[in-house]
């Protein structure tokens, strides 16, 4: 009798399994941001609360939009390359400007913007070579990849890439990993909200998720620009090109364990450069149109 009951229970569980595991996502709202107020906007970056947004203008100036006050502020009119700006854990903006010197070489300067005082502080002198803005849970700082050099104390937890290495700081102590082979290196490293995993892009491999010991815990597929939506999901870009220009680009929602993926926009939408914070997603299009998305994930 017990054996018969066990079989019945197993059959019932199997019958329920597809329903229990089935997941879907719905885009509940899609809103154009700063329409008629700003020109083309690129490389959006949300803070963790989702109430402030960084973006680059067509000429490379860096601006900050406050959702609460509905006000846009110029952080700098100097050129800031894409992905060279971030929010630190202290709420300040860390960014790198570029200038061409009299010797025709490019010099980069690390700087910090405090929205509370509207003050910009120079963190480095102009440096010929790469300078990278690094966000951490306690603040931010600047690193010079390829050299044992940093500016501003990098404390707390954070992650960044250098070539085919991913650097992870845990309580200010740096760890360096090369968990997968990549013919052209790594990009776009970020910590999960709980600080326990790092997602990054490896050329030829796609999005990789590792733990704080550098062990691969998931491979999410050949997508780009991963950003953590929450501890369980990642939003990424899936773009195609013909070798000269983009032919399609869409947003994807990926489960961080690699078991599930769904599209948030169609390939023809040309949506790219996703960023997440405070339960919202912001992206831009190939034409520089900013959009805010809200989603519902359900079973």
């Amino acid at each position: 009798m017990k054996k018969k009951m066990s079989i019945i229970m197993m059959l019932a569980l199997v019958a329920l399994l597809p329903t229990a595991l089935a997941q879907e996502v719905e885009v509940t709202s899609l809103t154009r941001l700063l329409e008629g107020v700003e020109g083309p906007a690129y490389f959006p970056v949300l803070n963790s609360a989702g109430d402030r947004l960084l973006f680059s203008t067509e000429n490379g100036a860096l601006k900050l939009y406050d959702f609460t006050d509905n006000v846009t502020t110029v952080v700098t009119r100097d050129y800031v390359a894409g992905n060279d700006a971030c929010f630190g854990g202290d709420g300040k903006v860390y960014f790198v400007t570029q200038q061409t010197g009299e010797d025709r070489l490019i010099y980069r300067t690390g700087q910090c913007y405090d929205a509370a005082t509207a003050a910009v502080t120079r963190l480095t002198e102009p440096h010929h070579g790469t300078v990278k803005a690094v966000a951490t849970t306690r603040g931010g700082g600047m690193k010079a990849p390829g050299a044992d050099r940093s500016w501003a104390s990098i404390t707390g937890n954070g992650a960044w890439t250098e070539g085919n290495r991913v650097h992870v700081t845990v309580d200010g102590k740096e760890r360096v990993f090369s968990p997968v082979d990549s013919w052209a290196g790594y990009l776009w490293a970020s910590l999960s909200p709980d600080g326990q995993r790092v997602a990054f892009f490896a050329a030829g491999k796609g999005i990789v998720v590792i733990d704080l010991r550098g062990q691969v815990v998931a491979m999410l597929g050949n997508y780009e620009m991963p950003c953590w939506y929450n501890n369980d999901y990642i939003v990424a870009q899936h773009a195609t090109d013909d070798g000269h220009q983009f032919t399609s680009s869409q947003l994807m929602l990926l489960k961080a364990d690699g078991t599930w993926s769904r599209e948030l926009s169609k390939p023809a939408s040309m949506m790219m450069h996703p960023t997440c914070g405070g339960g919202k997603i912001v992206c831009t299009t190939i034409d520089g149109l900013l959009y805010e998305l809200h989603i519902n994930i359900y079973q």
Side-chain angles (χ1 to χ4, degrees), residues 192-213:
S192 59
D194 62 8
Q196 298 302 305
R197 288 161 295 162
V198 175
F200 64 94
F201 170 82
K205 302 290 185 179
I207 297 174
V208 183
V209 179
I210 62 173
D211 62 21
L212 299 184
R213 299 171 300 163

Side-chain angles (χ1 to χ4, degrees), residues 233-276:
Y233 293 92
I234 287 172
V235 179
Q237 166 187 298
H238 182 212
T240 61
D241 63 80
D242 60 8
H244 301 283
Q245 60 186 4
F246 287 111
T247 55
S248 71
S249 187
Q250 65 182 140
L251 302 189
M252 300 292 298
L253 182 69
L254 315 172
K255 197 161 187 182
D257 62 5
T259 61
W260 182 91
S261 65
R262 292 292 187 276
E263 62 179 26
L264 296 179
S265 66
K266 297 298 183 182
S269 69
M270 300 304 286
M271 289 183 170
M272 53 184 59
H273 304 160
T275 180
C276 304

